[in-house]
Amino acid sequence: MKTVLIVEDEKMIRQGIRAMIQRSGVPVEVIMECGNGEMALDILRSQSVDVMLTDIRMPKMTGVELVQHIQELDEKPMIVAVSGYADFSYAVEMLRMGAREYLLKPVEREKLWEILRRLEQEISENRESSRTSKRLGHQQLKYLMLNERITEEELHTLQTEYESELALHAYQACVLNPKDVDMPQEQPYIYLHNIEGDDVYLVPEKNTQLLLKNELAHEHVGVSLLHSGIRELRTAYKEALGARHRAFCTGRTPVYVKDPAKHVPDDFRGQGQRQIGTEMKLQRVQLVGTDKTEELVKAWNGLFHAVKNEWITPDDFVGCMDDFFKEVQKTYRNVLSDEQENMQRLEAYYAYPSLEVWQAAFMEWLLKLHEQINSRFDSSKNQQKIKQAIAYIQENFDRDLNMAVVSNHISMNYSLFSYLFKEYTGSNFVNYLKAIRMEEAKRLLAETDLRIIEISAKIGYDNEKHFMKIFKASCGVSPSEYRKNVQNDHFFRGGGKID
């Protein structure tokens, strides 16, 4: 349990009960004390208390009066009445009004411990039940936000089961890109992770500005109008989602749905429409893989400028990009095999915090694709360079060799070399180099008496154990077993003893 409150006018008794609680073995984060019912009521009105142990006879406000006032609170503690024998009838009255247990003075340690353990178990079960209920409630909220055709019966059921529990009174929806964060169990808002690529916060009106200044500071957030109840939830979500898309495109933070649309002069709006027109769409595809890199970059910068200045809408931008990716997939599918995953990641536009971040990732991907396609039009030159690389590997496989060394030797971009090398040889660089080294190792094992450690060094491995591990993984036997097998085979074929 988190908090226990001891209400007792005699200091020595309070301290004694505190000591018993501390030694009970029941985990309690905070133990508070006060000397009368009025002080206790002030505490209960200002914060949550799990268990309250209260005396009956106290100045200013008795234990019975305190329990009567507690019934008016939204959050009520579990109450344990502490009474002298003469006040037992009052303890019965307190039990009737909601007290869970009672203890007679002087308080017996074992009885107090037993009560604390029982209440702790109940609190744990209630909290787990509440968490389960909230998880189910959150799933239902997701269903409501994403379902356009929810029935009146379903709405009524959701209202009955979850509206009061989830405290959806005066709230605003906030939408932003998904975050991989662990949210605390207790928070003054509802957090719904990754709803069709967005994170959604349903925030009480009084907490919205605090959330935007703290947890969501510097995030490109869309914020809805003020709403109330489950019936308005989908509307709130759609408002916040539209505002989030504007925040993504413009780079502003936050964007409220009530913010007026930016005034765009007709000539700028016309330029924006040309950016998403058929001619420009086709041009941006056709420039990929040509020697007109500057024109390609300029064409894309024109589109991004139009988006950021709201010359076109977020939906226009997404539609334009969807068309581009489809056309690229159709036109350059043979080149895209290694880039498919990156392209799919880019198609989740709003998973990125802003257009600026997405643009940087997209242009890096596009220019790499551009270079790969462009290189195919100069295949003769590139094949010659790859042949030079292969000759260099075959001559230097016994050195500390890696792809960076080889690509630098032939003056070729590292990524382009990786792509062209695999396309030409059918194998990646690491496996190709390993195959050459293993063939030479097998030759040395069969034709020489060199020790394993010497062979390891001769083919480029400084670590004998590492060589042995790779050899066995490649050939199925250890180097020693391989040499023995070769010698036996030679003997049985009539070759006699190998000198």
Side-chain angles (χ1 to χ4, degrees), residues 336-384:
L336 281 170
S337 56
D338 291 339
E339 291 297 316
Q340 195 70 35
E341 185 177 340
N342 289 331
M343 189 176 80
Q344 289 173 350
R345 191 177 297 116
L346 287 165
E347 288 180 288
Y349 313 102
Y350 297 118
Y352 293 77
S354 66
L355 176 61
E356 184 177 1
V357 176
W358 182 89
Q359 179 183 342
F362 170 76
M363 291 305 296
E364 180 181 358
W365 171 84
L366 179 68
L367 292 174
K368 182 180 178 182
L369 176 67
H370 173 69
E371 189 174 7
Q372 289 175 348
I373 296 170
N374 190 25
S375 69
R376 284 173 167 252
F377 292 100
D378 196 9
S379 58
S380 175
K381 179 181 176 182
N382 284 328
Q383 282 186 16
Q384 190 59 38

Side-chain angles (χ1 to χ4, degrees), residues 21 51 61 66 165 172 176 192 195 221 227 254 264-265 328 395 446 452:
I21 294 172
V51 174
M61 182 184 290
L66 173 59
E165 180 181 355
Q172 289 173 283
L176 68 156
L192 305 172
I195 299 181
V221 186
H227 289 274
V264 179
V328 165
E395 292 170 7
I452 303 300

Side-chain angles (χ1 to χ4, degrees), residues 37-288:
E38 286 185 353
M39 293 173 61
L41 194 57
D42 288 340
I43 291 172
L44 293 169
R45 284 169 175 163
S46 63
Q47 69 179 85
S48 176
V49 171
D50 291 318
V51 174
M52 180 184 75
L53 294 95
T54 180
D55 191 14
I56 293 178
R57 291 185 180 273
M58 295 181 293
K60 297 186 178 179
M61 182 184 290
T62 67
V64 176
E65 292 169 333
L66 173 59
V67 173
Q68 287 174 333
H69 285 294
I70 285 174
Q71 306 314 306
E72 301 168 4
L73 301 178
D74 292 332
E75 292 189 36
K76 304 175 182 64
M78 292 181 170
I79 301 168
V80 179
V82 182
S83 70
Y85 183 78
D87 298 320
F88 181 70
S89 59
Y90 294 109
V92 172
E93 176 65 15
M94 290 172 70
L95 289 169
R96 189 184 63 79
M97 290 189 296
R100 305 298 298 278
E101 305 280 352
Y102 73 90
L103 285 166
L104 287 174
K105 293 182 179 179
V107 175
E108 295 182 20
R109 181 177 57 187
E110 287 76 12
K111 288 187 177 180
L112 174 59
W113 290 358
E114 181 186 345
I115 288 172
L116 289 174
R117 284 192 291 267
R118 194 157 56 242
L119 296 180
E120 167 64 12
Q121 182 178 353
E122 186 174 342
I123 289 169
S124 297
E125 290 172 355
N126 288 343
R127 283 183 178 150
E128 182 57 35
S129 175
S130 177
R131 282 193 289 266
T132 301
S133 180
K134 281 188 177 181
R135 282 195 295 269
L136 290 173
H138 290 180
Q139 290 298 321
Q140 293 300 319
L141 295 183
K142 290 181 181 182
Y143 170 74
L144 175 57
M145 284 189 284
L146 299 176
N147 193 337
E148 294 183 8
R149 302 193 177 188
I150 193 164
T151 66
E152 180 63 31
E153 183 181 354
E154 288 175 308
L155 267 174
H156 180 73
T157 300
L158 289 173
Q159 280 183 295
T160 303
E161 292 186 7
Y162 298 112
E163 191 162 81
S164 59
E165 180 181 355
L166 297 175
L168 286 172
H169 306 306
Y171 65 90
Q172 289 173 283
C174 299
V175 174
L176 68 156
N177 60 298
K179 303 289 183 183
D180 292 324
V181 294
D182 292 325
M183 286 292 171
Q185 292 290 341
E186 302 296 331
Q187 61 228 2
Y189 49 79
I190 295 173
Y191 170 68
L192 305 172
H193 178 55
N194 199 9
I195 299 181
E196 293 196 333
D198 297 294
D199 277 2
V200 179
Y201 293 75
L202 304 176
V203 193
E205 180 187 16
K206 63 181 180 180
N207 298 114
T208 303
Q209 291 305 314
L210 194 62
L211 181 67
L212 293 173
K213 288 179 181 178
N214 293 292
E215 288 100 316
L216 303 187
H218 312 301
E219 300 286 351
H220 302 283
V221 186
V223 185
S224 75
L225 297 172
L226 189 63
H227 289 274
S228 180
I230 277 179
R231 286 180 175 273
E232 298 183 22
L233 183 58
R234 179 170 170 78
T235 301
Y237 168 64
K238 298 297 285 186
E239 288 176 355
L241 189 62
R244 156 64 186 156
H245 293 172
R246 287 184 64 197
F248 170 88
C249 290
T250 62
R252 288 172 18 219
T253 176
V255 169
Y256 295 85
V257 69
K258 63 184 178 182
D259 293 346
K262 181 179 179 180
H263 174 68
V264 179
D266 290 342
D267 55 341
F268 289 162
R269 196 176 297 279
Q271 290 182 46
Q273 290 304 306
R274 282 192 291 276
Q275 286 292 333
I276 60 173
T278 304
E279 184 178 343
M280 281 303 299
K281 282 183 178 180
L282 187 60
Q283 182 181 346
R284 283 191 289 267
V285 174
Q286 291 178 337
L287 284 170
V288 177

Side-chain angles (χ1 to χ4, degrees), residues 426-441:
S427 173
N428 64 38
F429 178 87
V430 172
N431 288 336
Y432 186 87
L433 176 60
K434 181 171 65 176
I436 290 177
R437 286 173 167 172
M438 292 303 104
E439 284 304 312
E440 178 64 8

Side-chain angles (χ1 to χ4, degrees), residues 287-353:
L287 284 170
V288 177
T290 69
D291 58 357
K292 300 178 180 179
T293 304
E294 289 187 12
E295 289 184 35
L296 175 68
V297 172
K298 184 178 179 181
W300 281 103
N301 284 342
L303 174 66
F304 296 138
H305 182 76
V307 177
K308 292 173 185 176
N309 287 280
E310 298 187 89
W311 297 357
I312 58 178
T313 68
D315 287 345
D316 289 335
F317 164 68
V318 169
C320 182
M321 291 310 310
D322 285 346
D323 290 343
F324 172 76
F325 284 125
K326 286 176 186 175
E327 194 62 33
V328 165
Q329 178 78 8
K330 182 171 64 177
T331 307
Y332 303 116
R333 57 183 175 274
N334 293 333
V335 187
L336 281 170
S337 56
D338 291 339
E339 291 297 316
Q340 195 70 35
E341 185 177 340
N342 289 331
M343 189 176 80
Q344 289 173 350
R345 191 177 297 116
L346 287 165
E347 288 180 288
Y349 313 102
Y350 297 118
Y352 293 77

